[in-house]
Amino acid sequence: MSASTRKKVLRKCKIRGRVLKTDALDEILSFVSRFQGPDEDEAIDLLLDELELESQKSTIIEKESAHRVVSRLLEADAAVEESSDPCPAGSSAIRVVDAFLVPKFRYDPIRKQFYEHTGSLPLHGDASAKAALYRDRFLLLSQRLSRDQNFSKPAFESEFSHFGSCEISPIQSLVGQTGRRWVMGVISQLEDGHFYLEDLTASVEINLSNAKITTGFFSENTIVVAEGEMLVEGIFQVLTCGFPPLEDRDKSLRQLAGHDFFGAGTLTKEETIRLADMERKAVNDMFVILSDIWLDNEEAMGKLETVLDGFESVEVVPSLFVFMGNFSSHPCNLAFHAYSTLRSQFGKLGQMIAAHPRLTEHSKFLFIPGPDDAGPSTVLPRCALPKYLTEELQNHIPNAIFSSNPCRVKFYTQEIVFFRQDMLYRMRRSCLMPPSIEETDDPFQHLVATITHQSHLCPLPLTVQPIIWNYDHCLYLYPTPHTIVLGDKSQQKAFKYTGITCFNTGSFSTDSTFVAYRPCSQEVELSAL
Amino acid sequence: MIEYIKGQISSYFTDSLLRIVRDIVVHMKGASRSEDDPNSSSGLPQIEGDPHRGDASLEFIKHVCAVLALDQSVQHDVLVMRKNLLKYVRVREFAPEAEFRDPCHSFILSNVICSYCNDCRDLDLCRDSGLLSQEWRCGVLQCGQPYDREVMENALVQIARQRERLYHLQDLVCLRCNQVKAAHLSEQCACAGSFRCKEDATEFRSKMQVFFNIALRQKFQLLQECTSWILELRL
């Protein structure tokens, strides 16, 4: 049996264009020997598919990668066998990933692949970390752009490639050139009042006065693709300006070669299919998201009580309640010092929730701090609320989760990102020119377009919103998640943009608005009291 | 009177200090030879943030001269004596290791207002002997009202938050030409030098450590949590 199996494995490998090393072959054979008959072929196919996903770049399959895939498949097999229960407890369905635990991946432009940064990530980086922040953002978007059909380099030199070719030229090459060129760069204000486009090679001053722009907020620190001409004075006259085009989520995932960008762990193909199936079947799961819950405002607490009472009496209680900050009507500044009162107010909230037994038992509670909440810093990403404030609440509700801002949640295979920041107001203030009204008039849609095209939750200049230099990757939206939840004090809105569901819950304490979200169908119910 | 002191310094003090320093040097040499360990030649505990901690004799000279130099009238003579003593231990007079650094940290909390007598003053939370006890009381003799703990804790928390934010907003300076970095994506200055932070991470952490120590001593729980997160201390 082993000789024929051996030949079979080698033949299948050859068809896929791979070369197997002898020790890798032994590993594979030991795995395949567990299966008999028709299962054998299936097992070999599955194994080779997984190996293909693992080692995309090299044609030689080594023992280590074979061993990794084998052990993964065996684990998945064991897991499938023991969990005969098709619907696991809600606890494993919802995975909360704290921003500080998200793995950091950097793009190597020479090898053209992502590699994981496995060293330490201090909160206070050195000078190179600040430059790396900008460079990594730029590289992320430029590698995405290189795969876009319009901007990729033509494979063969031919007459036709010069028509409509939007090949990106490095800014350094603009010196002494005439004619229309396409460049990609970060808008920076290197001198007062003068705007420059900066890329990895050089920077050039630009004139945006006659530029035709696409949808979105063009502010300092956003990465744009611009077409224009180099003038004699050394200024690049921009004719059209836009954001780097979006890439399909599946296409991005294929390029990542199994790296876990989201932070919730990688899944095998089998597991993905199984979980997607469970996700579709989980019709009753609902998330209730509220933002701006002022614990010191009696009216707001009364409204919250009404909401909780309402959900207590529903047939199937929501599986997750997300409470986003700010938790106090007074921002945390020099004037506000009543922290012990705040602590007891959290305790009262805990009591209020505990007074609803069905919710306490079956729902999870996630607390995300707001920008003005008490805590170590106002720099993004913000860490969870301090234990001093939340101890009493934790006593009442043991399974309350306190997470960072922003926060990532994985529901089976659906990726949801929560971010509590007044992005709309701040982006409107920082943008260089009024957004184009050609496609849409709604500022929220402009905001969604901006953050998705930039693949970043907060593309504001660092002086407006400082970011921890080593933790910029926590704010990335790459590959684009399924859902983005923004907590913003502006009006409640929902918008579906190229398959991404994005909504703003609105401020609960001022407008009494909140959102009920059904993840299985990505349905958003904008609600108000 | 001043003439007498000046004379005393140049004669009595110089002689006795020279003798003491000689004894220290001989003693340290004997101790290091018996231990035969090149690392512990100074025999002194290392203080964080002070790279120029010399050996025992140098430290002795620095401390004694710093104390004696407090009197303005004899400063010149003390400096002469210091030069001679340093020559004995073979340390250059203006070398960085010969500079006296107060090992006690200092942090001044400004504009602290007493709720009872409305007295406004700046408090040095580390060096003021009256504040080393658990309770912080107003300095005015007739008042003595304890300060509001919550207000003090909040003031410290806000300063810690502000410093953390400022660290991430700071400029980068070129190592070679000392120019502030303007561009964002470049890794090198125009003069081909690399960049450094204006306020280094170690400097920042040592300043934040002062806050952490105050929080521990005064049992400010929220401040302790915030500073331990900033310092990345694993509890």
Coordinates of all heavy atoms in Angstrom, one line a residue, chain B residues 84-164:
Chain B
N84 N 42.5 70.2 43.9 CA 43.6 69.4 44.4 C 43.2 67.9 44.7 O 43.9 67.0 44.4 CB 44.2 70.0 45.6 CG 44.9 71.3 45.3 OD1 45.5 71.5 44.2 ND2 44.8 72.3 46.1
L85 N 42.0 67.8 45.3 CA 41.6 66.5 45.7 C 41.3 65.6 44.4 O 41.7 64.4 44.4 CB 40.3 66.6 46.5 CG 40.5 67.1 47.9 CD1 39.1 67.4 48.5 CD2 41.2 66.0 48.8
L86 N 40.7 66.2 43.4 CA 40.5 65.5 42.2 C 41.7 65.1 41.5 O 41.8 64.0 40.9 CB 39.6 66.3 41.2 CG 38.1 66.5 41.6 CD1 37.4 67.4 40.7 CD2 37.4 65.1 41.6
K87 N 42.8 66.0 41.6 CA 44.0 65.6 41.0 C 44.6 64.4 41.7 O 45.3 63.6 41.0 CB 45.0 66.8 41.2 CG 45.9 67.0 40.0 CD 47.0 68.1 40.2 CE 46.4 69.5 40.4 NZ 47.5 70.5 40.5
Y88 N 44.4 64.3 43.0 CA 44.9 63.1 43.7 C 44.2 61.8 43.2 O 44.9 60.8 43.1 CB 44.6 63.3 45.2 CG 45.2 62.2 46.0 CD1 46.6 62.1 46.3 CD2 44.4 61.1 46.5 CE1 47.1 61.1 47.0 CE2 45.0 60.1 47.3 CZ 46.3 60.1 47.5 OH 46.9 59.1 48.2
V89 N 42.9 61.8 42.9 CA 42.3 60.6 42.4 C 42.3 60.5 40.9 O 41.7 59.7 40.3 CB 40.8 60.5 42.9 CG1 40.8 60.1 44.3 CG2 40.0 61.7 42.6
R90 N 43.1 61.4 40.3 CA 43.3 61.4 38.8 C 42.0 61.6 38.0 O 41.7 60.8 37.1 CB 44.1 60.1 38.4 CG 45.6 60.2 38.7 CD 46.2 59.0 38.1 NE 46.1 57.9 39.1 CZ 47.1 57.6 40.0 NH1 48.1 58.3 40.1 NH2 46.9 56.6 40.8
V91 N 41.2 62.5 38.4 CA 40.0 62.8 37.6 C 40.1 64.3 37.2 O 40.5 65.2 38.0 CB 38.8 62.6 38.5 CG1 37.5 63.1 37.7 CG2 38.6 61.2 38.8
R92 N 39.9 64.6 35.9 CA 39.9 65.9 35.4 C 38.9 66.8 36.1 O 37.7 66.3 36.3 CB 39.8 66.0 33.9 CG 41.0 65.5 33.2 CD 41.0 66.0 31.7 NE 39.8 65.5 31.1 CZ 39.6 64.3 30.5 NH1 40.7 63.5 30.5 NH2 38.5 64.0 29.9
E93 N 39.2 68.1 36.3 CA 38.3 68.9 37.1 C 36.9 69.1 36.5 O 35.9 69.1 37.1 CB 38.9 70.3 37.3 CG 38.3 71.1 38.4 CD 38.9 72.5 38.5 OE1 40.0 72.7 37.9 OE2 38.3 73.3 39.1
F94 N 36.9 69.3 35.1 CA 35.6 69.5 34.5 C 35.1 68.3 33.7 O 34.2 68.5 32.9 CB 35.7 70.8 33.5 CG 36.0 72.0 34.3 CD1 37.2 72.6 34.3 CD2 35.0 72.6 35.0 CE1 37.5 73.8 35.0 CE2 35.2 73.8 35.7 CZ 36.4 74.4 35.7
A95 N 35.6 67.2 34.1 CA 35.0 66.0 33.4 C 33.6 65.7 33.9 O 33.2 66.1 35.0 CB 35.9 64.8 33.8
P96 N 32.8 65.1 33.1 CA 31.4 64.8 33.5 C 31.3 64.0 34.7 O 30.3 64.2 35.5 CB 30.8 64.1 32.3 CG 31.9 63.7 31.4 CD 33.1 64.6 31.7
E97 N 32.2 63.1 35.0 CA 32.1 62.3 36.2 C 32.4 63.1 37.5 O 32.1 62.6 38.6 CB 32.9 61.0 36.1 CG 34.4 61.3 35.9 CD 34.8 61.0 34.5 OE1 33.9 61.1 33.6 OE2 35.9 60.7 34.2
A98 N 33.0 64.2 37.3 CA 33.3 65.0 38.5 C 32.2 66.0 38.9 O 32.3 66.7 39.8 CB 34.6 65.8 38.2
E99 N 31.1 66.0 38.1 CA 30.0 66.9 38.4 C 29.1 66.3 39.4 O 28.8 65.1 39.4 CB 29.3 67.1 37.1 CG 28.5 68.4 37.0 CD 27.7 68.5 35.7 OE1 28.3 68.4 34.6 OE2 26.5 68.5 35.8
F100 N 28.7 67.1 40.4 CA 27.9 66.6 41.5 C 26.4 66.5 41.0 O 25.8 67.5 40.6 CB 28.0 67.5 42.7 CG 27.0 67.1 43.8 CD1 27.2 65.9 44.5 CD2 26.0 67.9 44.1 CE1 26.3 65.5 45.5 CE2 25.1 67.6 45.1 CZ 25.3 66.4 45.8
R101 N 25.8 65.4 41.2 CA 24.4 65.2 40.9 C 23.6 64.8 42.1 O 24.0 63.8 42.7 CB 24.2 64.1 39.8 CG 23.9 64.7 38.4 CD 23.9 63.5 37.4 NE 25.2 63.5 36.7 CZ 25.3 64.0 35.5 NH1 24.3 64.5 34.8 NH2 26.5 64.0 34.9
D102 N 22.6 65.5 42.4 CA 21.8 65.2 43.6 C 21.1 63.9 43.4 O 20.2 63.8 42.5 CB 20.8 66.3 43.8 CG 20.1 66.2 45.2 OD1 20.2 65.1 45.8 OD2 19.6 67.3 45.7
P103 N 21.4 62.8 44.1 CA 20.7 61.5 43.8 C 19.2 61.5 44.1 O 18.5 60.6 43.7 CB 21.5 60.6 44.7 CG 22.0 61.4 45.8 CD 22.3 62.7 45.3
C104 N 18.8 62.5 44.9 CA 17.3 62.5 45.2 C 16.6 63.1 44.0 O 16.9 64.1 43.6 CB 17.1 63.3 46.5 SG 15.3 63.4 46.9
H105 N 15.5 62.4 43.5 CA 14.7 62.9 42.5 C 13.9 64.1 43.0 O 13.8 64.3 44.2 CB 13.7 61.9 42.0 CG 14.3 60.7 41.3 ND1 14.8 60.8 40.1 CD2 14.5 59.5 41.8 CE1 15.3 59.6 39.7 NE2 15.1 58.8 40.7
S106 N 13.5 64.9 42.0 CA 12.8 66.1 42.4 C 11.6 66.3 41.5 O 11.7 66.2 40.3 CB 13.7 67.4 42.3 OG 12.9 68.5 42.2
F107 N 10.4 66.5 42.1 CA 9.2 66.8 41.3 C 8.4 67.9 42.0 O 8.1 67.7 43.2 CB 8.4 65.5 41.1 CG 7.1 65.9 40.5 CD1 7.0 66.4 39.2 CD2 5.9 65.8 41.2 CE1 5.9 66.7 38.6 CE2 4.7 66.2 40.6 CZ 4.7 66.6 39.3
I108 N 8.2 68.9 41.3 CA 7.5 70.1 41.9 C 6.1 70.1 41.4 O 5.9 70.3 40.2 CB 8.2 71.4 41.6 CG1 9.7 71.3 42.2 CG2 7.5 72.6 42.3 CD1 10.5 72.5 41.9
L109 N 5.1 70.1 42.3 CA 3.7 70.2 42.0 C 3.4 71.7 42.2 O 3.4 72.1 43.4 CB 2.9 69.3 42.8 CG 1.4 69.2 42.5 CD1 1.2 68.7 41.1 CD2 0.7 68.3 43.5
S110 N 3.0 72.4 41.2 CA 2.8 73.8 41.3 C 1.4 74.2 41.7 O 0.5 73.4 41.4 CB 3.3 74.6 40.1 OG 3.1 73.8 39.0
N111 N 1.2 75.3 42.3 CA -0.1 75.9 42.6 C -1.0 75.0 43.3 O -2.1 74.7 43.0 CB -0.8 76.3 41.3 CG 0.0 77.4 40.5 OD1 0.7 78.2 41.2 ND2 -0.1 77.4 39.2
V112 N -0.5 74.5 44.5 CA -1.4 73.7 45.3 C -2.0 74.7 46.3 O -1.4 75.4 47.0 CB -0.5 72.7 46.1 CG1 -1.4 71.9 47.1 CG2 0.2 71.8 45.2
I113 N -3.4 74.6 46.3 CA -4.1 75.6 47.1 C -4.8 74.9 48.3 O -5.4 73.8 48.1 CB -5.2 76.2 46.2 CG1 -4.6 76.9 45.0 CG2 -6.1 77.2 47.0 CD1 -5.5 77.6 44.1
C114 N -4.6 75.4 49.4 CA -5.2 74.9 50.6 C -6.7 75.3 50.7 O -7.0 76.5 50.5 CB -4.4 75.4 51.9 SG -5.2 74.9 53.4
S115 N -7.5 74.4 51.0 CA -9.0 74.7 51.0 C -9.4 75.6 52.1 O -10.5 76.2 52.1 CB -9.8 73.4 50.9 OG -9.4 72.6 52.0
Y116 N -8.6 75.6 53.2 CA -9.0 76.3 54.4 C -8.4 77.7 54.4 O -9.2 78.6 54.6 CB -8.4 75.5 55.6 CG -9.1 75.8 56.9 CD1 -10.4 75.5 57.1 CD2 -8.4 76.4 57.9 CE1 -11.1 75.7 58.3 CE2 -9.0 76.7 59.1 CZ -10.3 76.4 59.3 OH -11.0 76.6 60.5
C117 N -7.2 77.9 54.2 CA -6.6 79.2 54.3 C -6.2 79.8 52.9 O -5.6 80.9 52.9 CB -5.3 79.2 55.2 SG -4.0 78.2 54.5
N118 N -6.6 79.1 51.8 CA -6.3 79.6 50.5 C -4.9 80.0 50.2 O -4.5 80.9 49.4 CB -7.2 80.9 50.2 CG -8.6 80.5 49.9 OD1 -8.9 79.4 49.4 ND2 -9.5 81.3 50.3
D119 N -4.0 79.3 50.9 CA -2.6 79.5 50.7 C -2.1 78.8 49.4 O -2.5 77.6 49.3 CB -1.8 79.0 51.9 CG -0.3 79.0 51.6 OD1 0.3 80.0 51.4 OD2 0.3 77.9 51.7
C120 N -1.4 79.4 48.5 CA -1.0 78.8 47.3 C 0.5 78.6 47.3 O 1.2 79.6 47.5 CB -1.5 79.7 46.1 SG -1.0 79.0 44.5
R121 N 1.0 77.4 47.1 CA 2.4 77.2 47.1 C 2.8 76.1 46.2 O 1.9 75.3 45.8 CB 2.9 77.0 48.5 CG 2.3 75.8 49.2 CD 2.9 75.5 50.5 NE 2.7 76.7 51.4 CZ 3.5 77.0 52.4 NH1 4.6 76.3 52.6 NH2 3.3 78.0 53.1
D122 N 4.1 76.0 45.8 CA 4.6 74.9 45.1 C 5.2 73.9 46.0 O 5.9 74.3 46.9 CB 5.7 75.4 44.1 CG 5.2 76.3 43.1 OD1 3.9 76.4 42.9 OD2 6.0 77.0 42.5
L123 N 4.9 72.6 45.8 CA 5.4 71.6 46.7 C 6.4 70.7 46.0 O 6.1 70.2 44.9 CB 4.2 70.7 47.2 CG 3.2 71.4 48.1 CD1 2.1 70.4 48.4 CD2 3.8 71.9 49.4
D124 N 7.5 70.5 46.6 CA 8.4 69.5 46.0 C 8.1 68.2 46.7 O 8.4 67.9 47.8 CB 9.9 69.9 46.3 CG 10.9 69.0 45.5 OD1 10.5 67.8 45.2 OD2 12.0 69.5 45.2
L125 N 7.4 67.3 45.9 CA 6.9 66.1 46.6 C 7.9 65.1 47.0 O 7.6 64.2 47.7 CB 5.9 65.4 45.6 CG 4.6 66.3 45.3 CD1 3.8 65.5 44.3 CD2 3.8 66.5 46.6
C126 N 9.1 65.2 46.4 CA 10.1 64.2 46.8 C 11.1 64.7 47.9 O 11.6 63.9 48.7 CB 11.0 63.8 45.6 SG 10.0 63.2 44.2
R127 N 11.4 66.0 47.8 CA 12.4 66.4 48.7 C 11.9 67.1 50.0 O 12.7 67.3 50.9 CB 13.3 67.4 48.0 CG 14.1 66.7 46.9 CD 15.1 67.6 46.3 NE 15.8 66.9 45.2 CZ 16.6 67.5 44.4 NH1 16.9 68.8 44.5 NH2 17.2 66.8 43.4
D128 N 10.7 67.5 50.0 CA 10.2 68.3 51.1 C 10.0 67.3 52.3 O 9.3 66.3 52.2 CB 8.8 68.9 50.7 CG 8.4 70.0 51.7 OD1 8.8 70.0 52.9 OD2 7.7 70.9 51.3
S129 N 10.7 67.6 53.4 CA 10.6 66.6 54.5 C 9.3 66.6 55.1 O 8.9 65.5 55.7 CB 11.7 67.0 55.6 OG 11.5 68.4 55.9
G130 N 8.5 67.7 55.1 CA 7.2 67.7 55.7 C 6.2 66.8 54.9 O 5.1 66.5 55.5
L131 N 6.5 66.5 53.7 CA 5.6 65.7 52.9 C 5.9 64.2 52.8 O 5.2 63.5 52.1 CB 5.6 66.3 51.4 CG 5.1 67.7 51.3 CD1 5.3 68.2 49.9 CD2 3.7 67.9 51.7
L132 N 6.9 63.8 53.5 CA 7.3 62.4 53.4 C 6.3 61.5 54.2 O 6.3 60.3 54.0 CB 8.7 62.2 53.9 CG 9.8 62.8 53.0 CD1 11.2 62.7 53.6 CD2 9.7 62.1 51.6
S133 N 5.6 62.1 55.1 CA 4.7 61.3 55.9 C 3.4 61.0 55.1 O 3.3 61.5 53.9 CB 4.2 62.1 57.2 OG 3.6 63.3 56.7
Q134 N 2.6 60.2 55.6 CA 1.4 59.8 54.8 C 0.5 60.9 54.5 O 0.0 61.1 53.4 CB 0.6 58.7 55.7 CG -0.6 58.2 55.0 CD -0.3 57.3 53.9 OE1 0.8 57.0 53.6 NE2 -1.3 56.8 53.2
E135 N 0.2 61.8 55.5 CA -0.8 62.9 55.2 C -0.1 64.1 54.8 O 0.9 64.5 55.4 CB -1.5 63.2 56.5 CG -2.8 62.5 56.7 CD -3.9 63.4 57.2 OE1 -3.5 64.3 58.1 OE2 -5.0 63.3 56.8
W136 N -0.6 64.8 53.7 CA 0.0 66.0 53.3 C -0.8 67.2 53.9 O -2.0 67.3 53.6 CB -0.1 66.1 51.7 CG 0.9 65.2 51.0 CD1 2.0 64.7 51.6 CD2 0.9 64.9 49.7 NE1 2.7 64.0 50.6 CE2 2.0 64.1 49.5 CE3 0.0 65.1 48.6 CZ2 2.3 63.6 48.2 CZ3 0.3 64.5 47.4 CH2 1.5 63.8 47.2
R137 N -0.1 68.0 54.6 CA -0.8 69.1 55.3 C -0.3 70.4 54.8 O 0.8 70.5 54.3 CB -0.6 69.0 56.8 CG -1.3 67.9 57.5 CD -1.0 67.8 59.0 NE -1.8 66.8 59.5 CZ -3.1 67.0 60.0 NH1 -3.6 68.2 59.9 NH2 -3.8 66.0 60.5
C138 N -1.2 71.4 54.9 CA -0.8 72.7 54.5 C 0.4 73.2 55.3 O 0.5 73.0 56.5 CB -2.0 73.7 54.8 SG -1.7 75.4 54.3
G139 N 1.3 73.9 54.6 CA 2.6 74.3 55.2 C 2.5 75.5 56.2 O 3.3 75.7 57.0
V140 N 1.4 76.3 56.0 CA 1.2 77.4 56.9 C 1.1 76.9 58.4 O 0.3 76.1 58.7 CB 0.0 78.3 56.5 CG1 -0.2 79.4 57.5 CG2 0.2 78.8 55.1
L141 N 1.9 77.5 59.3 CA 2.0 77.0 60.6 C 0.6 77.0 61.3 O 0.2 76.0 62.0 CB 3.0 77.8 61.5 CG 4.4 77.5 61.0 CD1 5.3 78.6 61.6 CD2 4.9 76.1 61.5
Q142 N -0.1 78.1 61.2 CA -1.4 78.2 61.9 C -2.5 77.3 61.3 O -3.5 77.1 61.9 CB -1.9 79.7 62.0 CG -1.1 80.5 62.9 CD 0.1 81.1 62.2 OE1 0.4 80.8 61.1 NE2 0.8 82.0 63.0
C143 N -2.3 76.9 60.1 CA -3.4 76.2 59.4 C -3.2 74.6 59.5 O -4.0 74.1 60.3 CB -3.3 76.5 57.9 SG -4.5 75.7 56.9
G144 N -2.3 74.0 58.9 CA -2.1 72.6 59.1 C -3.3 71.7 58.6 O -3.4 70.6 58.9
Q145 N -4.1 72.3 57.7 CA -5.2 71.5 57.2 C -4.7 70.5 56.2 O -3.9 70.8 55.3 CB -6.2 72.5 56.5 CG -7.3 71.9 55.8 CD -8.5 71.6 56.7 OE1 -8.4 71.8 57.9 NE2 -9.6 71.2 56.1
P146 N -5.2 69.2 56.3 CA -4.7 68.2 55.2 C -5.3 68.6 53.9 O -6.4 69.1 53.7 CB -5.3 66.9 55.8 CG -6.4 67.3 56.7 CD -6.0 68.6 57.3
Y147 N -4.5 68.4 52.8 CA -4.9 68.7 51.5 C -5.9 67.6 51.0 O -5.9 66.5 51.5 CB -3.7 68.7 50.5 CG -2.8 69.9 50.7 CD1 -1.5 69.7 51.0 CD2 -3.3 71.1 50.4 CE1 -0.6 70.8 51.1 CE2 -2.4 72.2 50.5 CZ -1.1 72.1 50.9 OH -0.3 73.2 51.0
D148 N -6.8 68.1 50.1 CA -7.8 67.1 49.6 C -7.1 66.1 48.7 O -6.4 66.4 47.7 CB -8.8 67.9 48.7 CG -10.0 67.1 48.3 OD1 -9.9 65.8 48.4 OD2 -10.9 67.7 47.8
R149 N -7.2 64.8 49.1 CA -6.5 63.7 48.4 C -6.9 63.6 47.0 O -6.1 63.4 46.1 CB -6.7 62.4 49.2 CG -5.7 62.2 50.3 CD -6.1 60.9 51.0 NE -5.9 59.7 50.2 CZ -4.7 59.1 50.0 NH1 -3.7 59.5 50.6 NH2 -4.7 58.0 49.2
E150 N -8.2 63.7 46.7 CA -8.7 63.5 45.4 C -8.1 64.6 44.4 O -7.7 64.3 43.3 CB -10.2 63.5 45.4 CG -10.8 62.4 46.1 CD -12.1 62.0 45.4 OE1 -12.9 62.9 45.0 OE2 -12.4 60.8 45.2
V151 N -8.1 65.8 44.9 CA -7.6 66.9 44.1 C -6.1 66.7 43.7 O -5.7 66.9 42.6 CB -7.8 68.2 44.8 CG1 -7.2 69.4 44.0 CG2 -9.3 68.5 45.0
M152 N -5.4 66.3 44.8 CA -3.9 66.1 44.5 C -3.7 64.9 43.6 O -2.9 65.0 42.7 CB -3.2 65.7 45.9 CG -3.4 66.8 46.9 SD -2.4 68.2 46.5 CE -0.9 67.8 47.4
E153 N -4.5 63.8 43.8 CA -4.3 62.7 42.9 C -4.6 63.0 41.5 O -3.9 62.7 40.5 CB -5.2 61.5 43.4 CG -4.9 60.3 42.5 CD -5.8 59.1 43.0 OE1 -6.7 59.3 43.8 OE2 -5.5 58.0 42.5
N154 N -5.7 63.8 41.3 CA -6.1 64.2 40.0 C -5.1 65.0 39.3 O -4.8 64.9 38.1 CB -7.5 64.9 40.0 CG -8.0 65.2 38.6 OD1 -7.9 64.4 37.7 ND2 -8.5 66.4 38.4
A155 N -4.5 66.0 40.1 CA -3.5 66.8 39.5 C -2.3 66.0 39.0 O -1.8 66.2 37.9 CB -3.0 67.8 40.6
L156 N -1.9 65.0 39.8 CA -0.8 64.1 39.4 C -1.2 63.3 38.2 O -0.4 63.1 37.2 CB -0.4 63.2 40.5 CG 0.3 64.0 41.7 CD1 0.4 63.1 42.9 CD2 1.6 64.6 41.3
V157 N -2.4 62.8 38.1 CA -2.9 62.0 37.0 C -2.8 62.8 35.7 O -2.4 62.3 34.7 CB -4.3 61.4 37.3 CG1 -4.9 60.8 36.0 CG2 -4.2 60.3 38.3
Q158 N -3.3 64.0 35.8 CA -3.4 64.9 34.6 C -2.0 65.2 34.1 O -1.7 65.2 32.9 CB -4.1 66.2 34.9 CG -5.5 66.0 35.3 CD -6.3 65.3 34.2 OE1 -6.1 65.5 33.0 NE2 -7.2 64.5 34.6
I159 N -1.0 65.4 35.0 CA 0.4 65.6 34.6 C 0.9 64.4 33.9 O 1.6 64.5 32.9 CB 1.2 66.1 35.8 CG1 0.7 67.4 36.3 CG2 2.7 66.2 35.4 CD1 1.5 67.9 37.5
A160 N 0.6 63.2 34.5 CA 1.1 62.0 33.9 C 0.6 61.8 32.5 O 1.3 61.5 31.5 CB 0.8 60.8 34.8
R161 N -0.7 62.1 32.3 CA -1.4 61.9 31.0 C -0.8 62.9 30.0 O -0.5 62.5 28.9 CB -2.9 62.2 31.1 CG -3.8 61.1 31.5 CD -5.1 61.6 32.1 NE -5.9 62.2 31.0 CZ -7.0 61.6 30.5 NH1 -7.3 60.3 30.9 NH2 -7.7 62.2 29.6
Q162 N -0.6 64.1 30.5 CA 0.0 65.1 29.6 C 1.3 64.8 29.1 O 1.7 64.9 27.9 CB 0.0 66.5 30.3 CG 0.6 67.6 29.6 CD -0.4 68.2 28.6 OE1 -1.3 67.5 28.1 NE2 -0.1 69.4 28.1
R163 N 2.2 64.2 30.0 CA 3.5 63.9 29.7 C 3.5 62.7 28.7 O 4.3 62.7 27.7 CB 4.3 63.4 30.9 CG 4.6 64.6 31.8 CD 5.9 64.4 32.5 NE 6.2 65.5 33.3 CZ 7.0 65.4 34.4 NH1 7.5 64.3 34.7 NH2 7.2 66.5 35.1
E164 N 2.6 61.7 28.9 CA 2.5 60.6 28.0 C 2.2 61.1 26.6 O 2.7 60.7 25.6 CB 1.5 59.6 28.5 CG 1.0 58.6 27.5 CD 2.0 57.5 27.3 OE1 2.9 57.3 28.1 OE2 1.8 56.7 26.3

